[in-house]
Amino acid sequence: MERSAVSEGERERESEEPGWEVDPEDEQGVAIVAFVGRQLRARREAAGMRAAEFAAAMGYGEGLVYKVEGGTRIPRAEYLDKADQVLRAGGSVAAMKQDVAEARYPKRLRDRARKEAKAVDLQWYGAHDIHGLLQTVEYMRALFEMRQPAYDEAQIERAVASRMARQAIFDRCPAPALSFVLEEVALQRPLGGRMVLRRQLERLLEIGQLRTASLQVMPTRREEHAGVDGSIEMLKFRDGSAVGRSPGVAAGRLVDEPEQLRILELRYGMIRAQALTPRESLAFIEQLLGET
């Protein structure tokens, strides 16, 4: 076998590629990543490049190259872009980004990620948390590290990577309309520590400046609150269809029936009316940041 010893520098370089280990229980993900790995190896060998030469040209550790080609590591988009250039593949390697994109998501979240990627309008109210699309990497990690039963490091890295991948929704063109209502208490709870919370509040202020995103805060002292039945999430699509979920409707399962969607729309509209306006909410978040 052509493999040589992996240097300490290569190990350090590999450590900069977290969260991309393949979930061995995800048969579909395993098959996709294995296929992409075989394709990359075949193209490298056809180009007459040894793994060490390819790694040097790529700027990655040789060990990472073997993991990707062996189907045990999901390559990042930038890895495939660089490989396309090094192998002079004319875009055929970079095109595999679409093949591996879904493998980044845990199996149970794959359908949700697909729907988010197609939505033209997303509406969300969270009773106790901050939506994953709004979270910083540090905040995500803190949340996953608190899960019980405890996640191991590989599970944490996969979960962080898949949640970060979903945030590509902000780069879509045309961008979807995004509406979020967050509880005041969720913005005050210092999960992960004070600095993690500060960066999270800063991130919310950044998103709140986007023309396509609306952030609102529900004050804790409100005497009327239409969200007492729990969180609400609705996704609307270009063809006019929609899906939604809430613990207070159909036991929290995903619904698409007009009557149940009407109930979710009614509750979400009331919640938005009872919350601070987007302008007031950004001012409120700025005040919290100054106090944190």
Side-chain angles (χ1 to χ4, degrees):
M1 190 173 182
E2 57 177 309
R3 182 167 191 170
S4 61
V6 179
S7 70
E8 190 64 32
E10 287 170 345
R11 291 193 187 97
E12 292 176 358
R13 180 59 178 149
E14 284 185 46
S15 70
E16 296 174 11
E17 301 294 326
W20 299 93
E21 295 84 1
V22 180
D23 181 355
E25 297 182 1
D26 180 3
E27 294 181 4
Q28 181 182 356
V30 168
I32 291 172
V33 177
F35 171 78
V36 170
R38 289 194 299 270
Q39 291 295 309
L40 285 169
R41 177 169 181 168
R43 288 177 177 275
R44 171 178 63 78
E45 291 177 343
M49 298 184 73
R50 296 175 64 83
E53 295 175 286
F54 182 66
M58 289 280 289
Y60 290 92
E62 186 180 351
L64 179 61
V65 170
Y66 278 110
K67 287 181 179 180
V68 170
E69 292 183 356
T72 61
R73 182 69 66 95
I74 305 171
R76 291 179 182 271
E78 55 266 32
Y79 183 100
L80 293 173
D81 285 334
K82 183 65 174 179
D84 196 275
Q85 296 173 17
V86 171
L87 297 172
R88 299 180 181 179
S92 57
V93 169
M96 291 192 289
K97 288 186 290 188
Q98 186 64 35
D99 295 324
V100 301
E102 290 191 358
R104 295 178 299 188
Y105 300 105
K107 187 176 181 180
R108 63 186 178 82
L109 296 179
R110 194 168 288 145
D111 186 55
R112 177 179 180 177
R114 287 195 194 104
K115 285 183 169 59
E116 278 185 356
K118 294 178 180 178
V120 296
D121 190 344
L122 182 150
Q123 300 175 336
W124 180 86
Y125 160 68
H128 304 291
D129 54 356
I130 294 173
H131 196 285
L133 295 179
L134 305 176
Q135 294 172 9
T136 65
V137 173
E138 298 84 1
Y139 192 88
M140 291 176 199
R141 176 172 288 279
L143 291 179
F144 289 125
E145 287 177 346
M146 295 174 193
R147 289 288 178 91
Q148 294 297 328
Y151 280 5
D152 61 32
E153 191 62 25
Q155 288 175 309
I156 291 173
E157 298 298 352
R158 279 198 299 270
V160 170
S162 64
R163 185 163 290 183
M164 282 299 297
R166 287 168 52 204
Q167 294 189 2
I169 194 171
F170 290 106
D171 301 323
R172 277 175 46 194
C173 185
L178 305 171
S179 171
F180 304 91
V181 182
L182 303 93
E183 286 287 346
E184 175 186 343
V185 66
L187 304 180
Q188 295 177 322
R189 187 175 292 119
L191 300 176
R194 175 175 168 271
M195 294 309 297
V196 170
L197 178 59
R198 280 189 59 84
R199 178 64 192 115
Q200 180 60 65
L201 294 176
E202 290 170 352
R203 175 61 176 161
L204 293 177
L205 291 174
E206 293 170 4
I207 293 174
Q209 299 299 324
L210 299 176
R211 291 195 300 272
T212 56
S214 169
L215 294 185
Q216 293 181 251
V217 175
M218 176 66 80
T220 301
R221 292 184 177 274
R222 279 288 191 261
E223 294 184 358
E224 294 183 343
H225 194 333
V228 292
D229 282 334
S231 60
I232 295 173
E233 182 170 22
M234 292 191 65
L235 298 172
K236 299 181 180 180
F237 307 104
R238 193 171 303 280
D239 63 2
S241 63
V243 294
R245 74 171 81 241
S246 173
V249 174
R253 67 176 177 83
L254 200 65
V255 298
D256 58 7
E257 295 85 353
E259 179 59 23
Q260 293 169 327
L261 290 173
R262 187 189 68 79
I263 293 172
L264 293 180
E265 284 266 33
L266 174 64
R267 290 179 183 173
Y268 188 72
M270 288 296 296
I271 289 170
R272 291 199 69 184
Q274 293 162 348
L276 299 177
T277 68
R279 184 183 296 273
E280 292 169 339
S281 296
L282 291 183
F284 185 84
I285 294 171
E286 285 182 347
Q287 179 181 337
L288 285 181
L289 180 59
E291 297 171 354
T292 302

